[in-house]
Amino acid sequence: MSRAPAPDPELLPAEIEVGERLRELGLDTALDLDAMAALSNVFRAANAARSQLERSVLTVHDLSFTAFTVLWVLWVWGEHEFRDVAANSGITKGTLTGVLSTLERRQLVERRRHDEDRRRLYVALTRRGTSLMSKLFVTFNRGESAIAAGLDPGERHELARLLRKLQRSVEGVDQSGPGNG
Amino acid sequence: MSRAPAPDPELLPAEIEVGERLRELGLDTALDLDAMAALSNVFRAANAARSQLERSVLTVHDLSFTAFTVLWVLWVWGEHEFRDVAANSGITKGTLTGVLSTLERRQLVERRRHDEDRRRLYVALTRRGTSLMSKLFVTFNRGESAIAAGLDPGERHELARLLRKLQRSVEGVDQSGPGNG
DNA sequence: TATTGTTATACTCTATAACTATA
DNA sequence: TATAGTTATAGAGTATAACAATA
């Protein structure tokens, strides 16, 4: 007789319940459970970490995660073209226009027209924005450090490596699937 | 003489540039770079995967990622209390009210009052919602499978394991940091 | 008094596409 | 014609708080 195997003690409670339910539905063999486990944990971990950083670091400065990302990009890369800032921040140009308006009102960033091609725009931190980020960058990283504290250095490297591999894999999906295999 | 070390070829282009910039700023020793690498890749991977799944699977059904998550929860766990659905979906009760209204209008879910405690609410898939999810669950998993295709089974397990560990670590942050260490 | 879900307010972020001003 | 950024539109998610119904 085949009994249900004891669930992996590493699994989160929600995952154990999902596994039992899918077995009841007879779907546990029809699905790619490894992919489901990997992806669902990517989403859960990202939500948890993001919420934690918003609460512990960003809310006191009245910054959204996206607004902070834009400031982060400008601080690390320095003055950059509008389109590059949007791309590096992972947002569309329409969203960036709105975010910049908010940040410019608070005098944290400034826009500057390209001298030769007057369609183009440069974006940079103001002195005030630079000053804020000099402190906030470190504070934010301390938050990241606290979150990652449960993983030893080797595990952090491995986690980052696997996530990079996943990102490279996502890039190739449009060509090869799903539904085309 | 100390030269800058050659960047890890595994790193994404953006990470290499960040590393160079932080070295210029003299911050590469003041920061927890391993934590930064791990967390920034969690966020990037989650965004990439989520966007890909929205485009390839959810948009055609006119479902947001959050709405799909709610349907997913109801399909896996069956009829549940409002508050549990919100918690399992990772959204606030205010948001769930709105999502349910949309899904109820499309006759995919239904609300039912608790018999004894009439403040409470049960939420369940309709027959139509169940029918939709029977197909969509598999389609969505095929999308996950395509995304995870770049990782072998061992890597997927290890990725999921490390992300669970990260989530458990996040839960303990409020007590132990940041800024308290 | 406390709790459950709803409603109201106000804001951020999103995608899409029309628009302007340049080139 | 094509490109860069802005604006318009509509929708989804957020926090916060007031609210009605119920306990």
Side-chain angles (χ1 to χ4, degrees):
Chain A
M1 57 188 278
S2 70
R3 273 203 325 163
D8 183 340
E10 289 275 1
L11 296 181
L12 298 177
E15 290 183 291
I16 295 171
E17 293 176 51
V18 170
E20 291 169 355
R21 186 80 181 101
L22 293 180
R23 205 175 311 113
E24 286 171 20
L25 292 164
L27 278 167
D28 54 326
T29 56
L31 297 169
D32 186 341
L33 296 179
D34 290 346
M36 184 183 295
L39 268 294
S40 66
N41 278 299
V42 168
F43 297 134
R44 266 194 294 260
N47 287 339
R50 180 174 165 145
S51 298
Q52 173 61 33
L53 288 167
E54 283 174 341
R55 267 179 288 132
S56 64
V57 179
L58 301 182
T59 296
V60 276
H61 293 280
D62 197 25
L63 287 171
S64 68
F65 200 88
T66 300
F68 174 75
T69 301
V70 170
L71 293 176
W72 193 96
V73 164
L74 291 173
W75 193 68
V76 169
W77 274 278
E79 182 171 58
H80 249 69
E81 284 199 31
F82 181 94
R83 54 183 176 180
D84 297 329
V85 176
N88 278 316
S89 304
I91 60 179
T92 61
K93 57 186 185 174
T95 298
L96 182 56
T97 294
V99 171
L100 285 186
S101 300
T102 302
L103 294 176
E104 202 168 33
R105 182 162 26 83
R106 292 176 58 184
Q107 300 176 30
L108 296 174
V109 306
E110 52 193 6
R111 293 164 155 101
R112 196 169 62 72
R113 278 285 159 203
H114 190 290
D115 287 332
E116 294 166 6
D117 186 342
R118 296 189 43 72
R119 291 174 305 184
R120 296 195 200 172
L121 203 63
Y122 282 112
V123 188
L125 292 184
T126 59
R127 184 169 304 185
R128 185 176 187 162
T130 305
S131 168
L132 172 65
M133 284 306 290
S134 297
K135 295 169 189 163
L136 197 48
F137 197 95
V138 177
T139 306
F140 189 86
N141 182 248
R142 235 184 269 133
E144 292 177 316
S145 190
I147 288 172
L151 279 63
D152 66 42
E155 289 176 324
R156 297 183 198 186
H157 279 127
E158 183 63 3
L159 175 58
R161 186 184 77 81
L162 294 170
L163 288 166
R164 287 182 201 111
K165 203 165 182 179
L166 192 71
Q167 289 170 76
R168 294 195 171 100
S169 182
V170 174
E171 288 167 15
V173 166
D174 281 328
Q175 285 79 48
S176 62
N180 298 335
Chain B
M1 55 187 276
S2 71
R3 275 202 324 163
D8 183 341
E10 289 274 1
L11 297 181
L12 299 177
E15 292 183 290
I16 296 172
E17 293 176 51
V18 170
E20 291 169 355
R21 186 79 182 100
L22 293 180
R23 206 176 311 112
E24 286 171 21
L25 292 165
L27 278 166
D28 53 326
T29 56
L31 297 169
D32 185 342
L33 297 178
D34 290 348
M36 185 183 295
L39 269 294
S40 66
N41 278 298
V42 168
F43 297 133
R44 266 194 294 261
N47 287 339
R50 179 174 166 147
S51 297
Q52 174 61 33
L53 289 167
E54 283 174 340
R55 268 179 288 133
S56 64
V57 179
L58 301 182
T59 296
V60 277
H61 294 279
D62 197 26
L63 287 171
S64 68
F65 200 88
T66 300
F68 174 75
T69 302
V70 170
L71 293 176
W72 194 95
V73 164
L74 291 173
W75 192 67
V76 170
W77 274 278
E79 182 171 59
H80 251 69
E81 285 198 29
F82 182 94
R83 53 183 178 179
D84 297 329
V85 176
N88 277 316
S89 303
I91 60 178
T92 61
K93 58 184 186 175
T95 299
L96 182 56
T97 294
V99 172
L100 286 186
S101 299
T102 302
L103 294 176
E104 202 168 33
R105 182 160 27 82
R106 293 175 59 184
Q107 298 176 33
L108 297 172
V109 306
E110 53 193 7
R111 293 163 156 99
R112 196 169 61 72
R113 280 282 160 204
H114 190 292
D115 287 331
E116 294 166 6
D117 186 342
R118 297 188 43 71
R119 293 173 304 183
R120 297 194 201 172
L121 203 64
Y122 281 112
V123 188
L125 292 185
T126 60
R127 184 171 303 185
R128 184 175 187 162
T130 305
S131 169
L132 171 64
M133 284 306 290
S134 298
K135 295 168 188 164
L136 197 47
F137 197 95
V138 177
T139 307
F140 189 86
N141 182 248
R142 236 184 267 133
E144 292 177 317
S145 190
I147 288 173
L151 279 61
D152 66 43
E155 289 177 323
R156 296 183 199 186
H157 279 127
E158 182 63 4
L159 175 58
R161 186 185 76 82
L162 293 170
L163 289 167
R164 286 181 201 111
K165 204 165 181 180
L166 192 70
Q167 288 169 76
R168 294 195 171 102
S169 183
V170 174
E171 287 168 14
V173 166
D174 281 329
Q175 286 78 47
S176 61
N180 298 335

